[in-house]
Amino acid sequence: MILRIFLLFCISFAVGMESGIIGGNEAKPHSRPYLASLQHNGHHTCGGMLIKENYVLTAAHCLKDVSGEKKHLEVVLGAHNIDQKERSQQRIQVMKYIPHPGFEQNNNKNFNYDIMLLKLKTKAKLNKFVKVVTLPNKYVKTPSHGNCSIAGWGKINTNSEQPSSILYEVTLEIKSNEECETIWQMYFDSAKQMCTVSNGREAFCQGDSGSPLICESKLLGIASYTSPDYCTNTLYPEVYVKIPAFFRWIKKHT
């Protein structure tokens, strides 16, 4: 019982911090043209991905810190430096929020369903800086080993309080489902989630949620939660929602 309460606290804490890629490298500008920055009052809060001209896919808990002020949540597309007004950028307001109903159960703490669609007020203009990413269908299987990559905006080291304005990316090793279940227990569902592990130097950090995980050139996961104390903790696997598991739900609502 004590472990269960501790893990629940860990997850709640881990998803509420500032975003950041730790120990990574600056991404090649516009090399991930589907990547979105979700911003509240002009500040980056989460990542996301453009899956249709007027829909962005992200993590459901990204609404947590903007409750009651949803009209201020915007999506920025085509960005590399989010602190500059780059000509490539498109800033679009969110018109509708569609969190998975499973996430809303258990007081918004069911992270097995930490997935949400954002319907944009206007369609994005597709060009070389802004593109739609291809969704994996329900039959795509997630690899049990190997490396995946994730990118995001935020602090680039654990000692910094200020997030980076530049897009950073990192490569992480896939962790087995068995090892993830051992650590996260009832909060990990191998049918809906997958995980990676930090090598002690590189990781995605708390709050860098909604960012896409790319494995073998395929979009497979959405960053959900990570270690409760420090991002590069090698004992706590970093957890993602499996996109193929929600393929039908995504198609139904887009």
Side-chain angles (χ1 to χ4, degrees), residues 36-170:
S37 168
L38 276 57
Q39 299 191 3
H40 181 230
N41 292 334
H43 298 285
H44 174 79
T45 60
C46 279
M49 63 214 82
L50 189 69
I51 62 168
K52 293 187 73 172
E53 291 170 290
N54 58 337
Y55 279 94
V56 166
L57 186 65
T58 187
H61 78 262
C62 289
L63 272 185
K64 176 179 177 290
D65 295 329
V66 295
S67 179
E69 299 184 62
K70 296 178 183 178
K71 64 181 179 180
H72 296 299
L73 191 60
E74 295 179 310
V75 168
V76 178
L77 303 168
H80 180 67
N81 187 330
I82 56 175
D83 283 349
Q84 294 182 356
K85 294 183 178 179
E86 300 165 318
R87 295 181 63 183
S88 58
Q89 292 181 11
Q90 298 179 39
R91 184 177 293 271
I92 306 174
Q93 287 189 337
V94 176
M95 182 176 72
K96 185 178 181 181
Y97 303 81
I98 313 172
H100 194 286
F103 180 76
E104 298 177 334
Q105 299 172 9
N106 192 26
N107 195 28
N108 289 353
K109 289 185 172 64
N110 193 348
F111 288 90
N112 297 340
Y113 295 90
D114 191 14
I115 186 170
M116 175 172 62
L117 288 162
L118 304 176
K119 186 175 183 180
L120 306 183
K121 190 172 182 179
T122 58
K123 289 185 177 181
K125 297 177 181 178
L126 303 184
N127 52 43
K128 65 179 181 179
F129 304 112
V130 177
K131 296 181 181 180
V132 171
V133 67
T134 301
L135 286 175
N137 64 43
K138 62 181 180 178
Y139 301 108
V140 173
K141 294 184 178 181
T142 55
S144 58
H145 62 277
N147 294 323
C148 300
S149 67
I150 185 172
W153 290 273
K155 60 182 182 179
I156 57 176
N157 65 72
T158 55
N159 297 320
S160 173
E161 294 296 329
Q162 297 298 321
S164 169
S165 57
I166 301 295
L167 181 65
Y168 270 71
E169 61 187 3
V170 69

Side-chain angles (χ1 to χ4, degrees), residues 49 57 115 135-136 219-222 241-247 250:
M49 63 214 82
L57 186 65
I115 186 170
L135 286 175
L219 169 65
L220 291 184
I222 302 171
V241 170
K242 286 182 179 179
I243 295 175
F246 294 93
F247 180 78
I250 294 169

